[in-house]
Amino acid sequence: MGEFMTETTQSPAEILESRSPIGRPMEPRERQGPASPRWGASRPSEAESGGGQEAAGILERARASVDPELRRAIDSLPGSMRRIALYHFGWEHADGTPAAGNAGKAIRPALVLTAVRALGGQQATAVRAAAAVELIHNFTLLHDDVMDRDTTRRHRPTAWTVFGDADAILAGDALQALAQRLLAEDPHPASSAAAARLAACVVELCAGQHADTAMEKMGPHEVTLEEVLAMAEAKTGALLGCACALGALYAGAGDEDVEALDAFGREAGLAFQLIDDVIGIWGDPSRTGKPAGADLIARKKSLPVVAALASGTAAATELAELYGVPYEGGDAGELERTVLAVERAGGRDWTQVQAADRMSRAMHELARAVPDPESAGGLLALAEFVTRRSN
């Protein structure tokens, strides 16, 4: 299929051996985010083209377009549900007073609107669809926080810690219903197909979350890399792919282009999850808004952990022993040993190499649907933005 589809087949140990001596963590200057191929050698690098600034501008414009639609939808909720939703989005404090909070980066609605533009459509026609995708995303966040017992999101207490489990779950359910209502009431000719696609995506998201929680109960060696990659695609890639596909539908694209953009979003989403799992272990809590090592404490089978466990190294044996027993709260030394074991076993390096491979696949799919590099520039900038994070 060409260089874009080259698959990483090395084991974590082989990757670690080829990139740095066994047992020696790579120096910071050696660690790089996933490189993404361009359409031709003449296109400048992200630093030269200002790709980061381009993505920031796209996200800011998407948030400005979508927020009024989101607020109108949330304002239609009954008072009890509205209060929780407004708190979750960062627009109100727990006591109902106004807040200038962070409603998130708006990556998914930005993908909808940017995909519309890339395929020659009018972004204004897809604002409801973009808002629907953002509502679904936040429905999953509300539920995930309850299931994972996460206490912090976007640098403030999670909704379930403030309002209780039941209220947070019900607020999430209400957001999902709002998303479907937005599409049901949208007069755009693509709205019916978009609603069906979004509903199928929600089912896939739930299946991915179910697999994730089931893996927590499994032993260290009972989960394969193939299984955890499939779970990550369902949990993260599916909604990013759906966002891109909805944009293609609203641009009036044919089935082939819709599927190619769905595949682009899925591969970029999997790269996103790979990097997110790295950040979940090695990121700065003051910038991520989440406590350090939360996934390790919960004994989650994240991608770096499963890759490390599969490496066959002495560090993998140590990690399996650590993961075989519950984390003893307050033992910072145990957490540090777990982090080091994942890194020494090659989990971090494998994850970063795999993220680069998934971005290559994403670029291949994007080129199929949008052959003109200039038209594809916005989607490319967003894909690079979400996979070049370091915190």
Side-chain angles (χ1 to χ4, degrees), residues 138-218:
N138 282 276
F139 139 70
T140 67
L141 296 183
L142 282 161
H143 283 204
D144 282 0
D145 286 344
V146 173
M147 287 182 276
D148 296 342
R149 310 315 287 172
D150 286 337
T151 58
T152 305
R153 180 172 294 281
R154 298 167 183 161
H155 304 280
R156 68 199 309 226
T158 47
W160 72 267
T161 66
V162 176
F163 301 100
D165 290 2
D167 284 358
I169 291 169
L170 290 168
D173 293 341
L175 295 187
Q176 182 187 173
L178 284 180
Q180 290 296 335
R181 193 181 76 189
L182 281 180
L183 293 177
E185 295 176 350
D186 191 350
H188 194 283
S191 61
S192 178
R197 197 172 195 104
L198 189 60
C201 178
V202 170
V203 173
E204 188 174 357
L205 290 169
C206 292
Q209 178 65 15
H210 180 268
D212 189 24
T213 55
M215 286 176 186
E216 290 184 39
K217 302 178 179 68
M218 297 180 182

Side-chain angles (χ1 to χ4, degrees), residues 22-313:
I22 289 290
R24 176 180 69 81
M26 297 174 68
E27 296 300 322
R29 57 184 169 80
E30 294 178 83
R31 293 196 184 99
Q32 300 176 358
S36 55
R38 305 285 186 168
W39 279 245
S42 63
R43 187 176 172 93
S45 68
E46 180 186 40
E48 294 169 333
S49 66
Q53 288 77 13
E54 180 182 0
I58 292 170
L59 293 169
E60 184 178 356
R61 291 190 294 274
R63 178 58 71 197
S65 297
V66 171
D67 274 2
E69 193 71 46
L70 287 173
R71 284 181 176 271
R72 278 192 292 272
I74 291 171
D75 284 345
S76 72
L77 290 173
S80 57
M81 295 295 96
R82 182 170 65 248
R83 178 185 174 196
I84 300 165
L86 289 171
Y87 173 83
H88 169 75
F89 275 93
W91 295 328
E92 284 189 1
H93 297 295
D95 62 2
T97 56
N102 175 16
K105 295 184 177 68
I107 291 167
R108 290 152 191 85
L111 285 171
V112 176
L113 298 176
T114 308
V116 172
R117 183 176 181 181
L119 289 169
Q122 297 296 315
Q123 290 182 322
T125 66
V127 171
R128 283 190 183 181
V133 170
E134 185 72 343
L135 287 167
I136 291 296
H137 174 54
N138 282 276
F139 139 70
T140 67
L141 296 183
L142 282 161
H143 283 204
D144 282 0
D145 286 344
V146 173
M147 287 182 276
D148 296 342
R149 310 315 287 172
D150 286 337
T151 58
T152 305
R153 180 172 294 281
R154 298 167 183 161
H155 304 280
R156 68 199 309 226
T158 47
W160 72 267
T161 66
V162 176
F163 301 100
D165 290 2
D167 284 358
I169 291 169
L170 290 168
D173 293 341
L175 295 187
Q176 182 187 173
L178 284 180
Q180 290 296 335
R181 193 181 76 189
L182 281 180
L183 293 177
E185 295 176 350
D186 191 350
H188 194 283
S191 61
S192 178
R197 197 172 195 104
L198 189 60
C201 178
V202 170
V203 173
E204 188 174 357
L205 290 169
C206 292
Q209 178 65 15
H210 180 268
D212 189 24
T213 55
M215 286 176 186
E216 290 184 39
K217 302 178 179 68
M218 297 180 182
H221 292 298
E222 294 177 344
V223 179
T224 68
L225 274 173
E226 290 76 14
E227 289 170 335
V228 77
L229 283 167
M231 177 272 292
E233 180 181 342
K235 277 195 64 175
T236 304
L239 188 55
L240 269 70
C242 184
C244 295
L246 261 59
L249 287 170
Y250 272 70
D255 291 346
E256 187 174 342
D257 287 345
V258 172
E259 295 306 326
L261 278 189
D262 184 277
F264 159 73
R266 283 175 177 272
E267 295 292 355
L270 189 47
F272 171 93
Q273 187 60 57
L274 285 153
I275 296 301
D276 198 60
D277 281 359
V278 170
I279 293 169
I281 298 174
W282 292 279
D284 180 356
S286 68
R287 302 184 70 177
T288 64
K290 292 187 176 183
D295 286 354
L296 297 181
I297 291 170
R299 300 305 192 229
K300 274 188 168 289
K301 309 303 188 298
S302 66
L303 288 154
V305 167
V306 176
L309 288 168
S311 68
T313 62

Side-chain angles (χ1 to χ4, degrees), residues 276-357:
D276 198 60
D277 281 359
V278 170
I279 293 169
I281 298 174
W282 292 279
D284 180 356
S286 68
R287 302 184 70 177
T288 64
K290 292 187 176 183
D295 286 354
L296 297 181
I297 291 170
R299 300 305 192 229
K300 274 188 168 289
K301 309 303 188 298
S302 66
L303 288 154
V305 167
V306 176
L309 288 168
S311 68
T313 62
T317 302
E318 179 187 1
L319 178 61
E321 292 173 355
L322 289 165
Y323 251 57
V325 295
Y327 175 75
E328 296 294 333
D331 187 347
E334 180 185 343
L335 180 58
E336 183 178 355
R337 288 193 301 275
T338 306
V339 172
L340 290 174
V342 176
E343 181 144 12
R344 288 199 303 270
R348 183 173 188 169
D349 291 325
W350 179 90
T351 305
Q352 290 176 315
V353 169
Q354 185 69 211
D357 175 60

